[in-house]
Amino acid sequence: MLMPRSSQEEKGDGAVSSIISRLMAKGGSLLTADDLQRLRRLEVAAAEIEELVAEHKSLAVALRPHTSSLDTLKPTLSQAEDVLDDVVERQRRIVDLPADTNPFFEPSWAGKKLHTVLSTVFHAGHAHSAAPELKNLAKKVHKVQGFIEEADKHFTTSFPPDLKSAPPKVIGRDAECRKIVAALHLVDGNEDEDDGRPYSVLGIHGAAGSGKTTLAQCAYARAQAADEDRSGSFDISMWVHVGRRFTQHKIFHDMLEAATGRPPSSALVDRDSDDTVALLQDELRGKRILLVLDDVHSNGNDTDLKQILSPLDVVGAGSKVLVTARSVDALLVLGADISSCLAIRDLDDDVFARLFMHYALADDGVDERDRGILEFIGAGIAAKLKSSPLAAELVGTELRARPQIDVWKNFRDTISAA
């Protein structure tokens, strides 16, 4: 029987991204790596939309299809959280069983994720008296996995970026991208000689939805491509999403996965961070590395934030860390010099309109007469999107599937009336 929640305080923050964050925290030892990866993708996408609407409330109407999708997801994810709460409570009761009836006492299961134990019992017909209870848990975990898969179908996001594909299309930011790439490849041997660090930190900061991540992806991809033609190329490149709610252990785990190209063993997930750091430093020792930390937040208690770069003490000279953040404060906490922090600027109106039309109108399949009218209407829509590249992408992609003049007019007029 599910335990009732008597108040919103017991549930915590009702934002979809917060529910997802709680699911990951509660399900770390219950869910598979694929489940957690899906949740991480969902958290990134949901947080981007929530923060954009919170910062620009007038965009709520324009982004209604996406905020409605979040509203649709909320009961599904809340139900998954309720089931997971029940599983955690039942797990606690099983762990408290006497050793002679407790399936968790076996040394061979030590360090294994609970979902592995559940699978073992469920499929092998384990003889312990707790086996029926474990089978019940397995069914409930499977139910949560179904909720996660259903939710994942609603959103896609470039997390982590596809490094094998061409660099993302960047309109109006080419000069900034070239500047960042040049700084990433700059090796002068004394970048941080005052504090002895073998790496330097560069940063991009700006409002939610301003294009920081896209610009970082562009620089990251171009830096990889340039490595073939330059001396001083990077031995290891890593992309890690940080987010508002993070733990050191999660960041170290993600760094290790990015450095090795494979998920760490399931046993390592639940072990002490020191074990992960030791393995990570073995991979990084003496190598020139590029690390991107995307979506970093400074919340006033920055002790944990300062520590996430501690494993880099062993990297080779000339290593680089590129950070994206909403505030310059987060960049400074991580050791960036103010001169190495790029404030992302608003695009000029005509450039922003061109960016919007890149997403909103296909190159072919539209009548030329209609194209001219749609471009005129599109300029009016773009003017309402607060120069937000993320809003341009979300709204433009939505309209691209419906290139009808009446649809675009109605959309423009709806935003105007908001």
Side-chain angles (χ1 to χ4, degrees):
M1 180 176 179
L2 298 183
M3 294 177 293
R5 296 174 182 239
S6 59
S7 67
Q8 182 63 32
E9 286 72 27
E10 287 177 324
K11 254 185 177 179
D13 186 354
V16 169
S17 60
S18 298
I19 297 173
I20 296 170
S21 179
R22 294 198 300 270
L23 279 173
M24 288 191 290
K26 296 173 181 178
S29 64
L30 292 157
L31 303 173
T32 67
D34 286 343
D35 295 328
L36 294 173
Q37 184 74 349
R38 288 190 183 98
L39 286 173
R40 289 162 68 195
R41 285 199 302 267
L42 285 167
E43 183 188 29
V44 172
E48 284 183 337
I49 295 170
E50 289 166 348
E51 291 182 1
L52 183 59
V53 172
E55 190 154 316
H56 301 294
K57 295 188 184 304
S58 60
L59 290 179
V61 173
L63 298 177
R64 183 172 292 160
H66 302 279
T67 56
S68 295
S69 292
L70 291 182
D71 290 339
T72 300
L73 281 180
K74 187 176 292 186
T76 298
L77 292 169
S78 294
Q79 189 174 3
E81 185 179 10
D82 286 339
V83 174
L84 199 56
D85 284 342
D86 187 40
V87 171
V88 170
E89 173 61 18
R90 290 172 181 267
Q91 177 193 0
R92 184 193 63 76
R93 292 204 302 266
I94 292 173
V95 171
D96 288 342
L97 289 172
D100 59 345
T101 59
N102 187 350
F104 292 91
F105 83 96
E106 296 190 16
S108 63
W109 288 354
K112 287 186 178 180
K113 277 196 168 187
L114 179 60
H115 73 79
T116 304
V117 178
L118 295 177
S119 178
T120 300
V121 174
F122 192 77
H123 294 294
H126 205 279
H128 278 296
S129 63
E133 182 77 352
L134 285 171
K135 287 183 179 181
N136 189 33
L137 284 188
K139 290 178 181 178
K140 288 182 176 292
V141 171
H142 183 71
K143 187 176 183 180
V144 173
Q145 291 169 329
F147 288 143
I148 294 170
E149 289 179 11
E150 178 184 341
D152 191 37
K153 294 175 183 177
H154 288 260
F155 285 98
T156 57
T157 182
S158 53
F159 170 73
D162 183 359
L163 306 181
K164 297 180 181 178
S165 65
K169 182 74 172 179
V170 176
I171 295 176
R173 305 281 190 205
D174 196 61
E176 289 102 322
C177 189
R178 289 199 306 269
K179 180 179 179 180
I180 295 170
V181 173
L184 292 176
H185 281 283
L186 180 64
V187 183
D188 60 15
N190 59 6
E191 291 143 326
D192 288 290
E193 61 183 9
D194 289 341
D195 58 17
R197 295 181 307 179
Y199 61 88
S200 56
V201 181
L202 297 78
I204 306 170
H205 62 99
S210 59
K212 304 181 295 296
T213 296
T214 300
L215 181 56
Q217 288 178 353
C218 177
Y220 188 78
R222 290 187 186 180
Q224 310 307 302
D227 274 353
E228 298 180 0
D229 304 317
R230 292 175 181 259
S231 61
S233 61
F234 297 109
D235 300 307
I236 294 176
S237 298
M238 300 174 284
W239 182 289
V240 174
H241 179 265
V242 179
R244 188 181 298 278
R245 295 168 290 273
F246 72 92
T247 64
Q248 290 182 35
H249 184 68
K250 175 183 177 296
I251 299 302
F252 297 154
H253 178 278
D254 290 348
M255 285 185 187
L256 181 59
E257 180 173 346
T260 61
R262 61 184 182 276
S265 67
S266 59
L268 188 63
V269 173
D270 301 320
R271 281 161 58 186
D272 190 89
S273 291
D274 290 344
D275 297 327
T276 306
V277 170
L279 290 174
L280 177 60
Q281 290 189 319
D282 286 344
E283 293 288 337
L284 304 182
R285 196 175 309 278
K287 296 176 181 176
R288 184 169 184 253
I289 65 101
L290 168 60
L291 169 64
V292 177
L293 294 176
D294 184 37
D295 192 27
V296 173
H297 293 258
S298 175
N299 57 13
N301 182 14
D302 296 318
T303 302
D304 285 348
L305 186 58
K306 291 177 181 178
Q307 288 300 312
I308 64 176
L309 293 182
S310 58
L312 303 191
D313 291 344
V314 302
V315 301
S319 293
K320 303 288 182 178
V321 179
L322 176 61
V323 184
T324 72
R326 292 179 66 176
S327 73
V328 70
D329 293 341
L331 307 180
L332 300 178
V333 167
L334 287 174
D337 186 86
I338 192 67
S339 63
S340 300
C341 299
L342 174 68
I344 200 162
R345 59 181 176 81
D346 284 345
L347 295 173
D348 295 337
D349 291 345
D350 59 337
V351 176
F352 182 75
R354 185 156 53 92
L355 174 67
F356 171 72
M357 294 308 299
H358 164 72
Y359 292 113
L361 203 56
D363 293 334
D364 52 24
V366 179
D367 180 82
E368 283 305 311
R369 176 183 173 279
D370 287 353
R371 179 180 293 275
I373 297 174
L374 290 172
E375 287 176 347
F376 176 78
I377 299 171
I381 295 173
K384 303 292 182 181
L385 298 183
K386 305 297 182 184
S387 297
S388 166
L390 178 58
E393 180 179 357
L394 294 173
V395 174
T397 302
E398 188 78 19
L399 291 175
R400 189 184 188 92
R402 306 173 67 193
Q404 292 89 39
I405 292 173
D406 288 346
V407 171
W408 283 41
K409 278 184 176 178
N410 289 337
F411 191 88
R412 178 197 61 192
D413 295 343
T414 299
I415 300 176
S416 298

